[in-house]
């Protein structure tokens, strides 16, 4: 099954016109939510890592 490049580009353009793009506001809100969750996750894992590191140091007497 072969498709000409011209037909392919027409099909791509037709499909792109059917896409429902989010508004600028929705994009900004979603981006903010993703950044906030990434920040919260990084803070959580930092705290957990520090607690585990403290436990390992206490258990084995390693580190400073």
């Amino acid at each position: 099954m072969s498709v000409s490049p011209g037909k392919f580009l027409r099909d791509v353009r037709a499909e792109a016109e059917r896409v429902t793009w989010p508004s600028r506001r929705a994009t900004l809100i979603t981006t903010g939510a993703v950044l906030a969750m990434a920040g919260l996750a990084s803070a959580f894992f930092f705290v957990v890592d520090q607690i585990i590191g403290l436990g390992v140091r206490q258990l084995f007497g390693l580190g400073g």
Side-chain angles (χ1 to χ4, degrees):
M1 177 172 166
S2 80
V3 178
S4 71
K7 181 173 179 356
F8 174 75
L9 291 175
R10 283 191 300 275
D11 290 345
V12 168
R13 177 171 285 172
E15 192 66 31
E17 290 174 359
R18 287 186 229 142
V19 172
T20 304
W21 299 100
S23 66
R24 180 177 178 86
R25 178 174 164 78
T27 302
L28 290 174
I29 289 172
T30 304
T31 301
V34 168
L35 292 175
M37 290 305 295
L40 287 172
S42 65
F44 170 76
F45 286 114
F46 175 78
V47 169
V48 169
D49 183 56
Q50 293 299 310
I51 292 170
I52 291 172
L54 179 65
V56 168
R57 284 190 298 275
Q58 291 294 321
L59 184 63
F60 296 111
L62 300 174

